[in-house]
Amino acid sequence: MASSSFSSSSMLAFVLFLLVLLVGSSSAHLSTNFYYKTCPKLFTTVKSVVHSAVAKEKRMGASLLRLHFHDCFVNGCDGSILLDDTSSFTGEKTARPNVGSIRGFNVIDDIKSKVEAACPGVVSCADIVAIAARDSTVILGGPSWDVKLGRRDSKTASLSAANSGVIPPPTSTLSNLINRFQAKGLSAKDMVVLSGSHTIGQARCVVFRSRIYNETNIDASFAKTRQGRCPIKVGSGDNNLAPLDLQTPTFFDNHYYINLVNKKGLLHSDQVLFNGGSTDSLVEKYSKNLHAFDSDFASAMIKMGDISPLTGSNGEIRKNCRKPN
C-alpha cells in the first residue's frame, strides 16, 4: 500500500515536472501568431509606416533590414541596438560596425508610436524591427516570410559586445565570415544567402576604398567607376556613397551574385564569397537561380530571427524603443 501511494505521488511529481518543462519551453519559443489576439492590427500598422518610409527613400528599406541583422548578432534579437546612450551605460549605436552608418531609428520610433496607439504595452521593439525587416524586403521586390514573434526587449545594451567582432567587418576573410555566422548557429550557406541582402543598400567610400585601389580580383572598369566618387586619399570623400549592387541598387534580386561572378563585388567581404573558395558554387547557383535565392533567404532570415531572444518574463516591453522603462 505504502509503495503504491509512493509510486502514485512520484507519478504526480513527474507529471508536474513535465508540465513545468512544457510551459518553460513553450515560453522560450517564438510563434507567428503571437499577437493574433492582443494586437490584431500589428502587421498592417507596421507595413503602412515602412511603406511610406521606403517610398520617401528607397535606401531606408536596406537600412531597416540591416538594423535587424546588427541587433540579432549582438546578444540576440532583443532590440538592444535601439537604446540611446545614458549616463549609466553606453549603448551599441556608437560601436565601430554601427557608428555613422546604422540608421532607421526614426522609422522604428514612428512604428512604435502607432503600434502603441493601437495596442499599448503589448508589442516589443525587437519584434517591430523583425517585422520591418521583412516588410522592407518585400516592398523592394524580395521574398516574404512569416515572422516569428514573442521577443521581449533588453533593458540594457553593450558597446563592448558590439565592438567584439561578432558583426563581421567589411574587411573579413571567408573563414572569418563562416566562423562568425557559425557562432550564431548559422551555416556557411546561411551566411552566403544573408550576404545577398547587399542586393540593396549603399556603402561609404571609407569601407571600400582599399578594395577599389589595392585588390586585383576586381573588374577594372568597375573599380574605375567607383574611384570616381571615392578618392584614394584617406579623409577625402570618406562618406561618399556607392550602391552595393551596381545593376539594380534599389531592387531586391540576385544581381548581387551575378556581380560577384563578374568580380564586381563592392566590399572585400562580398568578393571573398566568390574567389576560388568553398562558397563559389553557392554564389554561382544563386546567380543563375533567383527562386532558390528568394526561398533560401526567407529561411535564413527566420533562422537569424531565432538568435537568443528574450522571452517569457525576461526583458520587458519598452514603451519607448530608445530607453528602458
Side-chain angles (χ1 to χ4, degrees):
M1 186 72 178
S3 64
S4 72
S5 74
F6 173 77
S7 61
S8 61
S9 63
S10 298
M11 180 58 77
L12 181 63
F14 181 64
V15 169
L16 286 172
F17 171 70
L18 279 181
L19 279 172
V20 168
L21 271 187
L22 284 168
V23 171
S25 64
S26 65
S27 68
H29 288 310
L30 308 178
S31 69
T32 55
N33 61 355
F34 190 81
Y35 299 110
Y36 181 71
K37 288 182 177 169
T38 54
C39 195
K41 292 183 179 173
L42 172 62
F43 290 121
T44 52
T45 305
V46 176
K47 189 176 181 180
S48 70
V49 178
V50 175
H51 205 281
S52 61
V54 175
K56 278 185 204 144
E57 184 201 15
K58 289 278 207 303
R59 184 187 173 206
M60 186 53 72
S63 299
L64 292 170
L65 180 54
R66 184 168 181 253
L67 200 57
H68 186 36
F69 167 55
H70 281 225
D71 183 32
C72 291
F73 264 61
V74 181
N75 295 331
C77 311
D78 61 359
S80 57
I81 197 167
L82 306 173
L83 291 173
D84 286 338
D85 294 351
T86 69
S87 55
S88 58
F89 79 90
T90 306
E92 298 164 21
K93 290 182 177 179
T94 55
R96 282 187 299 275
N98 298 332
V99 68
S101 66
I102 204 82
R103 55 201 296 278
F105 300 111
N106 291 341
V107 179
I108 299 299
D109 290 342
D110 193 11
I111 297 169
K112 179 64 172 173
S113 68
K114 288 182 170 58
V115 169
E116 283 296 303
C119 26
V122 172
V123 182
S124 69
C125 300
D127 278 344
I128 285 172
V129 170
I131 300 167
R134 188 270 312 273
D135 289 351
S136 296
T137 303
V138 173
I139 290 164
L140 293 176
S144 186
W145 59 93
D146 292 332
V147 181
K148 289 160 73 173
L149 302 166
R151 301 170 193 82
R152 287 166 66 83
D153 297 320
S154 66
K155 297 178 184 179
T156 186
S158 173
L159 177 70
S160 59
N163 271 333
S164 68
V166 290
I167 298 171
T171 53
S172 293
T173 61
L174 180 59
S175 61
N176 184 51
L177 287 170
I178 291 170
N179 291 340
R180 289 303 181 192
F181 276 73
Q182 281 183 341
K184 300 296 175 187
L186 298 167
S187 67
K189 178 184 174 183
D190 294 326
M191 181 274 291
V192 173
V193 76
L194 290 170
S195 296
S197 60
H198 285 179
T199 177
I200 52 174
Q202 303 190 53
R204 293 175 301 150
C205 162
V206 70
V207 300
F208 62 82
R209 177 182 281 124
S210 178
R211 167 145 171 78
I212 62 172
Y213 286 103
N214 303 326
E215 296 187 9
T216 54
N217 62 340
I218 188 168
D219 177 85
S221 63
F222 171 69
K224 198 166 177 13
T225 299
R226 289 283 68 97
Q227 288 167 7
R229 289 263 306 138
C230 183
I232 193 166
K233 186 184 175 189
V234 175
S236 175
D238 282 4
N239 291 321
N240 289 353
L241 297 170
L244 288 158
D245 170 5
L246 185 67
Q247 309 302 320
T248 52
T250 59
F251 193 73
F252 197 100
D253 56 22
N254 63 337
H255 267 99
Y256 169 78
Y257 300 103
I258 297 169
N259 295 336
L260 297 187
V261 170
N262 293 321
K263 297 185 179 179
K264 294 180 180 179
L266 183 61
L267 307 180
H268 176 83
S269 56
D270 290 327
Q271 197 59 56
V272 293
L273 302 183
F274 190 84
N275 194 38
S278 61
T279 55
D280 280 19
S281 58
L282 267 174
V283 170
E284 277 199 66
K285 175 186 172 181
Y286 294 139
S287 74
K288 295 170 182 169
N289 191 334
L290 174 60
H291 177 72
F293 168 53
D294 279 352
S295 173
D296 290 350
F297 185 82
S299 299
M301 285 298 292
I302 293 168
K303 207 167 159 186
M304 187 182 81
D306 279 342
I307 298 174
S308 308
L310 295 171
T311 57
S313 58
N314 295 316
E316 64 183 11
I317 304 297
R318 278 184 224 142
K319 293 182 179 71
N320 176 340
C321 289
R322 292 175 180 265
K323 59 183 186 182
N325 293 344

